[in-house]
């Protein structure tokens, strides 16, 4: 075993032992398991009533995965946001730094500890995921991709917390900023997408006509004069890229979509993917609605199926995931530069021993 990995293992072991000793950690896991159990049971009964082929098991599986991601992003900042500056405040960081442990080993050990702690929630949800996967006979690709992307996203949140704890002096401030970063990625991207689309609008024209008199077969014998309407429509297609950085969108966009007999998604991943992919399609600026033709039944524009929309639009999960990894790596690198010894300059009030 290389000296670097050995040093990382020492820090990782110390960090995990400290977390395991706390009773609150077990209480938190127990509450999480109870919530997952309640969600699984309620969804199983609720989705079973829709008469789907898999009795709603695919929907249960995707919901549990999203629930783990939600709770992981809520808990991970509190566990990782004070990983370095918390030790500095407690006077234990300098004690570690005077040993043979390097700064890189220290940063990596604390990051892996925070990541493994977040993955404990995924491990606790495995029984429920296995039940949903077996009941719904899910494809292996769906299971593998969803778990891998979920684990990577939890790692990104852990890296952001550890990185900010090394860059900032105050533990409380770094924890709050970590939550703000997570909120910006989860909620801020949706706000930016919505406000951007509403701010930049274009004029659309709609032409419509309707039947005035009909024969016995239901076909119009006379039609109204076509009426033209102009209205403002948002340009969400110009801002859909903001959603690429959303962790929930990344997860949905990465998982292969399964369809029912009507070409509709069978799980929450597919519906999230469909919603974000539809945002890529530009709004028609001129179209006809219910155009009346004498002697013919009323005509309505055809709507594309969910499968055709997803297959004809651009996946963005790779770009979003790469952005998250670059952000996490940059923050960890910044924490290393700020924590390395000997320190050339320290901020006023910094504790070193």
């Amino acid at each position: 075993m290389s000296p670097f990995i050995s040093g990382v293992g020492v820090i990782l072991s110390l960090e995990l032992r400290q977390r395991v000793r706390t009773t609150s950690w077990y209480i938190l896991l127990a509450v999480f398991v109870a919530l997952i159990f309640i969600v699984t049971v309620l969804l199983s009964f609720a989705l079973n009533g829709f008469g789907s082929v898999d009795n709603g098991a695919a929907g249960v599986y995707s919901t549990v995965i999203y629930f783990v991601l939600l709770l992981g992003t809520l808990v991970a900042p509190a566990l990782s946001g004070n990983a370095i500056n918390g030790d500095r405040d407690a006077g234990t960081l300098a004690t570690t730094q005077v040993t043979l442990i390097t700064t890189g080993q220290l940063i990596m050990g604390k990051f892996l500890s925070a990541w493994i702690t977040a993955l404990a929630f995924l491990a606790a949800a495995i029984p429920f995921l296995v039940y949903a996967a077996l009941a719904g006979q899910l494809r292996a690709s769906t299971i593998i991709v969803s778990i891998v992307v979920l684990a990577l996203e939890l790692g990104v949140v852990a890296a952001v917390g550890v990185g900010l704890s090394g860059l900032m002096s105050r533990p409380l401030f770094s924890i709050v900023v970590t939550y703000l970063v997570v909120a910006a990625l989860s909620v801020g991207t949706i706000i930016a997408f919505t406000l951007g689309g509403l701010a930049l609008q274009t004029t659309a024209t709609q032409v419509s006509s309707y039947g005035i008199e009909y024969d016995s077969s239901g076909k119009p014998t006379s039609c109204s004069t076509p009426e033209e309407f102009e209205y403002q429509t948002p340009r969400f297609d110009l801002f859909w890229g903001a959603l690429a950085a959303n962790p929930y969108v990344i997860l949905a966009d990465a998982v292969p979509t399964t369809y029912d007999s009507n070409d509709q998604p069978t799980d929450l991943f597919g519906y999230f993917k469909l919603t974000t992919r539809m945002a890529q399609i530009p709004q028609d600026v001129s179209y006809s609605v219910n155009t009346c033709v004498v002697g013919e039944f009323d005509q309505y524009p055809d709507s594309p199926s969910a499968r055709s929309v997803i297959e004809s639009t651009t996946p963005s999960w790779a770009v979003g995931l790469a952005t998250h990894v670059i952000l996490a790596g940059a923050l960890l690198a910044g924490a290393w530069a700020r924590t390395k010894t000997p320190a050339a300059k320290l901020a006023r009030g910094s504790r070193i021993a």
Side-chain angles (χ1 to χ4, degrees), residues 289-350:
V289 177
N290 191 22
T291 302
C292 178
V293 178
V294 175
E296 298 183 7
F297 290 109
D298 291 343
Q299 301 176 2
Y300 297 90
D302 295 330
S303 298
S305 65
R307 182 191 291 269
S308 63
V309 170
I310 292 176
E311 293 180 350
S312 63
T313 48
T314 305
S316 60
W317 65 269
V319 176
L321 189 58
T323 302
H324 286 188
V325 172
I326 293 173
L327 172 64
L331 290 175
L332 288 178
W336 174 85
R338 181 71 184 275
T339 312
K340 68 178 181 178
T341 53
K345 184 178 181 180
L346 291 175
R348 183 183 299 273
S350 297

Side-chain angles (χ1 to χ4, degrees), residues 81-350:
N82 64 343
I84 297 175
N85 50 22
D87 286 357
R88 182 181 290 115
D89 271 9
T92 59
L93 180 62
T95 305
T96 304
Q97 289 179 309
V98 297
T99 65
L100 296 178
I101 296 296
T102 65
T103 304
Q105 292 171 331
L106 178 68
I107 299 296
M108 186 58 63
K110 288 184 175 294
F111 159 63
L112 291 177
S113 172
W115 192 5
I116 292 174
T117 304
L119 289 177
F121 292 100
L122 177 58
I126 285 179
F128 307 100
L129 295 176
V130 171
Y131 154 74
L134 294 178
Q137 298 181 351
L138 301 183
R139 296 184 301 180
S141 59
T142 299
I143 299 173
I144 294 174
V145 173
S146 61
I147 291 178
V148 169
V149 175
L150 172 60
L152 289 176
E153 286 298 327
L154 293 178
V156 167
V157 177
V160 169
V162 173
L164 290 175
S165 72
L167 289 170
M168 299 178 180
S169 302
R170 304 301 178 188
L172 179 59
F173 190 53
S174 60
I175 292 175
V176 171
V177 174
T178 303
Y179 274 112
L180 290 178
V181 172
V182 173
L185 294 175
S186 303
V187 182
T189 51
I190 299 176
I191 295 176
F193 164 76
T194 304
L195 294 181
L198 293 176
L200 187 60
Q201 301 189 13
T202 187
T203 302
T205 304
Q206 174 183 318
V207 180
S208 62
S209 60
Y210 56 90
I212 299 178
E213 297 180 353
Y214 294 84
D215 58 19
S216 58
S217 64
K219 297 179 180 179
T221 57
S222 63
C223 298
S224 66
T225 303
E227 299 179 352
E228 183 175 296
F229 303 92
E230 289 188 352
Y231 62 95
Q232 297 295 313
T233 181
R235 294 299 307 273
F236 293 117
D237 57 295
L238 300 178
F239 297 92
W240 68 268
L243 297 176
N246 189 293
Y248 299 90
V249 173
I250 292 173
L251 179 57
D253 202 48
V255 175
T257 308
T258 55
Y259 303 93
D260 58 18
S261 58
N262 298 318
D263 285 341
Q264 294 296 318
T266 60
D267 53 26
L268 201 58
F269 299 135
Y271 281 105
F272 274 16
K273 179 185 291 187
L274 175 62
T275 302
T276 55
R277 293 291 187 88
M278 289 179 65
Q280 300 181 19
I281 303 175
Q283 177 69 42
D284 292 334
V285 295
S286 180
Y287 63 99
S288 301
V289 177
N290 191 22
T291 302
C292 178
V293 178
V294 175
E296 298 183 7
F297 290 109
D298 291 343
Q299 301 176 2
Y300 297 90
D302 295 330
S303 298
S305 65
R307 182 191 291 269
S308 63
V309 170
I310 292 176
E311 293 180 350
S312 63
T313 48
T314 305
S316 60
W317 65 269
V319 176
L321 189 58
T323 302
H324 286 188
V325 172
I326 293 173
L327 172 64
L331 290 175
L332 288 178
W336 174 85
R338 181 71 184 275
T339 312
K340 68 178 181 178
T341 53
K345 184 178 181 180
L346 291 175
R348 183 183 299 273
S350 297

